[in-house]
Amino acid sequence: MTILCVRFQLPPMHEAALPGLLGLLEDFTPVVEALPPDGALADLRGAERYFGRDAVELASVIRVRALALYGVDCAIGAGPGPMLARMALRDARPGVTCVVPGEPEGIAGFLAERPVSALPGVGAATARTLCEYGLDTLGLVAAAPLSTLQRLIGARAGRELWERASGIDRDRVVPNAVSRSLVTERPFERDELDPDRHRRALLSAAEELGARLRAVEKVCRTLTLTVRYADRSSTTRSRTLKEPTAHSAALTKATYGMYEALGLQRARVRALALRAEGLTPADQASHQLTFDPVDEKVRRIEEVADRARAKFGPRAVMPGTLAA
């Protein structure tokens, strides 16, 4: 086993704890890929040789350290590749590492009876098409002629599906900095019904994200909104922005759009979280110029406000709604 897929059992609205937990994994290997909001992939090939332990033994050490240092348990899947480790994680539970054998026979046995929808990258439409032709398990997909799969779902998709169903895992763990995503959270003191309070919390979160992005000279491509309810259920929505930005007004508009699309009616909201993803350097991002003087004015005010906050603190300048 060389790849671990780890899901930390974070308490609700504690996504911001992920950077520290990623640092724990980086004590074992520099090849760590964050999977926000609560997971990561770790390539332990070098660590196995260095520590003289296999990936399952190292997984036990990681679990103990996460509990001792952060009070967080974790579920871990282990496999010879990232895809298989992700699939193993679905069967894992805290305290027990689910392992996919490294031998071809063991991989085939692990995949054979699983539904096609269990394969990463297979959506509902593809799974429905395959099931209509009786290919409802990965074992049947692997045994089907490649040409049949390519006629059903396309040449490239068919080949990728056949390879994955056969246990051929071409994915790689791509190291990424924790700054590839930023998250901010707004819990309520009590379950909140008032939509106006929801919107003020979202405005505050978007303003904070924008300021943090500008401080590190980054822009984000995608926003993800998570709404957690009184019954501990949650709803998550993502929106890809028209252009990468750190402009607070654009982030707020996108955030409000996602919130309105949920159509909440007297929902008892316990907390809100907003995550900026797909971060890239601001100097490499393009910006569509406009003839709107208001937009230019707002951006200049934003620059002045950032300088004021840097000198006098984060509450030196804020929207009037939040100041009230």
Side-chain angles (χ1 to χ4, degrees), residues 134-170:
L135 302 174
D136 56 350
T137 66
L138 294 178
L140 292 174
V141 171
L146 175 59
S147 58
T148 299
L149 296 176
Q150 290 178 321
R151 283 196 299 271
L152 291 177
I153 62 174
R156 180 176 178 179
R159 177 171 290 279
E160 290 180 354
L161 174 63
W162 182 83
E163 288 182 348
R164 288 171 175 262
S166 301
I168 301 173
D169 190 353
R170 300 189 186 277

Side-chain angles (χ1 to χ4, degrees), residues 84-304:
L84 294 167
R86 286 172 184 257
M87 296 183 70
L89 178 63
R90 298 180 182 181
D91 294 340
R93 62 184 187 276
V96 178
T97 301
C98 181
V99 179
V100 179
E103 302 78 17
E105 297 79 9
I107 294 174
F110 175 80
L111 295 173
E113 299 302 321
R114 295 178 181 271
V116 291
S117 58
L119 198 67
V122 175
T126 300
R128 186 165 53 250
T129 299
L130 295 171
C131 289
E132 288 174 353
Y133 289 87
L135 302 174
D136 56 350
T137 66
L138 294 178
L140 292 174
V141 171
L146 175 59
S147 58
T148 299
L149 296 176
Q150 290 178 321
R151 283 196 299 271
L152 291 177
I153 62 174
R156 180 176 178 179
R159 177 171 290 279
E160 290 180 354
L161 174 63
W162 182 83
E163 288 182 348
R164 288 171 175 262
S166 301
I168 301 173
D169 190 353
R170 300 189 186 277
D171 292 345
R172 295 291 181 269
V173 179
V174 181
N176 57 6
V178 66
S179 60
R180 287 186 65 85
S181 70
L182 291 177
V183 63
T184 183
E185 304 158 355
R186 292 294 183 272
F188 295 106
E189 293 183 359
R190 57 182 63 86
D191 300 336
E192 186 57 65
L193 289 166
D194 188 352
D196 289 337
R197 291 183 178 272
H198 298 167
R199 291 175 66 87
R200 282 200 291 272
L202 293 173
L203 173 60
S204 171
E207 287 283 333
E208 179 186 328
L209 271 188
R212 290 170 61 187
L213 287 168
R214 294 190 296 274
V216 297
E217 299 182 348
K218 300 281 188 179
V219 293
C220 74
R221 183 63 178 173
T222 304
L223 277 180
T224 298
L225 171 66
T226 301
V227 182
R228 300 190 189 276
Y229 306 104
D231 61 358
R232 297 185 179 274
S233 65
S234 64
T235 302
T236 300
R237 292 290 183 272
S238 294
R239 177 165 295 185
T240 299
L241 305 175
K242 292 182 178 179
E243 62 181 21
T245 186
H247 185 31
S248 293
L251 298 177
T252 301
K253 181 179 179 181
T255 301
Y256 281 169
M258 288 187 288
Y259 173 79
E260 297 296 340
L262 292 176
L264 302 181
Q265 296 182 359
R266 296 191 58 79
R268 299 173 64 86
V269 176
R270 178 160 296 176
L272 299 162
L274 190 63
R275 185 168 65 250
E277 300 176 302
L279 306 192
T280 56
D283 57 5
Q284 298 179 12
S286 60
H287 169 54
Q288 178 64 51
L289 299 177
T290 70
F291 294 103
D292 183 4
V294 175
D295 180 73
E296 181 64 23
K297 182 179 179 180
V298 170
R299 290 178 183 271
R300 289 185 178 181
I301 292 174
E302 191 173 69
E303 293 176 4
V304 175

